[in-house]
Amino acid sequence: MAQPLPKEDMVITSQLRSRPVPPLDPKQGQILLEGAIAQIHKASQEFLQAVVDAAKMVGGEDDRCIAGISLKTSGPKQEQDLRTVALSDPRSSFTGTELPLLECPSSLLPEGQEVILLHRPQSSFVHFLPDDRPIEELLMVPFGSGSDRGGVLWLAAYGEHRFHQGQADLLVLLAKQGGLIHKSAREREYLAELVQRTDRSTLLDQLPIGIAKLDQEYRYTYLNDQAIASLHIRPEELLGRSVWEVYPTVAGTFVEDAYRSAMEDRVVNSIELYFEPVETWFDVEAHPAEDGGIVVFFYNADQRKRSESELSSLLESAERQRRYYTTILTTTPDFAYIWGADYTFLYANKALLDLYGLTEEEYVGHSFRDVGYPEWHARMHEQEMDEVIRTGKPLRGKIPFQAKGGSGIYDYIFMPVFGPDGKVEAIAGTTRDVTALERSAETLKEADKRKDEFLAVLAHELRNPLAPLRSGVDLLREDTSPEVLQQAQDIMSRQIAHMVHLVDDLLDLSRVNRGAIELRKAPISLRDVLDLALETVRPLIQDRKHHLHLELGGSSLTVNGDITRLAQVFSNLLNNAAKYTEPGGDITVRVLQQDGTATITISDSGIGIDQQDLAKVFEMFAQVDRKSDRAKGGLGIGLNIVQRLVKMHGGTITAASEGIGKGSDFTITLPLEEQEVSSPQTAPKAKTAIQPLRILIVDDNVDAAFVLSMLLKRLGHEVHATHGGEQAIEVMEGFKPEVVFLDIGMPGMDGYEVCRRMRRLPDTEGCRIVALTGWGQEEDKARTKEAGFDEHLVKPTDKGTILRLLAEFSAQRG
Ligand code: ADP
């Protein structure tokens, strides 16, 4: 037995640092610790065992070391004892022994020191270890922490063993970490105990999930608070009663299936359920329970269901909107499309697909070039798209375009479609075919141009006769010799006739345009019509020394028509023939009968019409070669009116010519009337002797009143002229006129009013009041009649008409 060492000499901790440290796997400590920590779920004792096993490994693999944990406890005499709680040699019965702390080497570990190394501790501490083998060195580190009373983790070496600093460090680490884990393990044990003791249901009640337990008879045996709240029912109404009893409606449903299958097949079943009694949606899970029953979990699914139904109504309305938009987009004749920023089509409507004769698959996802745009066109649109993307602004353009399904002028607009980041992510466009619009704009422009030209021509044409009229008047001022007088009269009446013709044409044009021409149709002889027409044109024909050939073989033919209007038609054609044929030419009128139709051709040997102008001659304001010397004066409306009048009679008119200088043929067809004309229509012949009459003239145009009064006075009538309505009424009583020529448009009191007042005067029943007006429409005539007029004459009234009327009055007077 060796000499016991004084305790101070026993402590050789300082030697640790001077001893060599053999190479050590740096991860070793970590591995050891992890091994220990892995035991955390095990009981505290097993954990402590793991720590000492690890500590022993720090000492070495062989048997020369033993490790242990000794914890301080309070001894019977209020002093501290040391109880060995774990040893690396499990066979040892030493575990559990308690010794007074002071009799143990641990008492040498000063408070606050990390490590102590003792040399041969047995010399002083006899009861130290169960083993008799002499301990050469004892390495000790404090174990446990904080409130723990603490203890030591020790490592003892038998025989020639020398601990070094590396081992000391590892042991410190192990003791520190192990101590912490030991402490928390003890706390967990405490908690577990607490849970054991506490009513488990309090915990379950905290959960936001409804939990119900059913026994094998489907009777409720447990309900947490949430279940009770969810089901809106008192626990006593449920506990001990079966599901089928409490909720009979559940029987036979998929809910019963789910519960039964969980109960019988021991599987988990999930269902979704609208629970009528509480008007709530639940996600329900039925789990098999250990005791043979089932546990049912309820999750409130109202929120989810609401989102689902919101989503589905959102989808529904999106779908509805899609249907609306699709309907619009597929029915519109405009093209609608969307492009991605990479110039490919994302959408194309039906009109656009039809234009290219492509299907949606052939179009969508493809570029301009893929679907057949010419290179220039594709490039142009790509540049425009770049611009829209760059500026974020819409762009508009117009382009003539040709594609498989059509061609024309297209007006397009590209709109930027912005993404959530504010960048242009696509371009939506619409394109409209504006060809018709453009053409009608062209037509309107053309018509407008023609109208302007027409007005210029009109001014010119009206001016033409004015010059000879003025010089005629001037001539008469200078010289009133009979020859000059005769000549001037001839010139002036010819020019006036021309002007009247022009103005008549204009009036007719306006009437035809307004559809205001009324035909007074009656069965008439075609011969009479042609006679009337020839009568008007003959002077011109004679003037120009034309040879007139009449081939009126079938002219006893009868047509149903307005004699005045039909005569106007033929005189117009004859007039043109005379006008457009050089003096001395031939004019032929030929009448033929063919299957209920009369065909009348008026041919001339004149200047002819170019083939390309033939169709144009009937157009309004059409004058072939207005600027050339072929032009003979005229407004270019005569043939247009002729054509419309013929149409109104159910007939046709065509123009033919073999070309310039080859003469022209105008051919009219008219349907024939079966019935013969009983008596030829002739204008009433004026009586040769006219009784002198008392005539009042009322016209604010002093010149017009004067000329007419002169004319009438020369014929032997007693004439009084006044220039206003009031004055005329005053004159009535004293003068007692038998005939009044009354102008309508006068300042102050107009002709209608004057007439009405005159009619209210005594002794005017026998007085004939004749309206003199520029207005000759049927409605104008109706108006004068209503005001009390007997006759309606349209200005300028020719002498013959006035004379005929006066003869009639005179005859009626007897
Ligand atoms: P205008 O007042 O100019 O004669 P019309 O409507 O009667 O108007 O005729 C239209 C045009 O048709 C004339 O300007 C003329 O160029 C052509 N035209 C009409 N009749 C004849 C014809 N018999 N021979 C040659 N050209 C004619």
Side-chain angles (χ1 to χ4, degrees), residues 562-577:
D562 183 324
I563 188 161
T564 320
R565 292 304 183 183
L566 281 181
Q568 183 185 346
V569 165
F570 291 111
S571 66
N572 229 310
L573 294 177
L574 285 164
N575 199 65
N576 277 351

Side-chain angles (χ1 to χ4, degrees), residues 569-570 573 598-601 642 646 651-654 666-670:
V569 165
F570 291 111
L573 294 177
T599 306
I600 309 101
T601 308
V642 163
V646 171
T652 61
I653 177 162
T654 49
F666 283 83
T667 304
I668 286 182
T669 64
L670 288 171

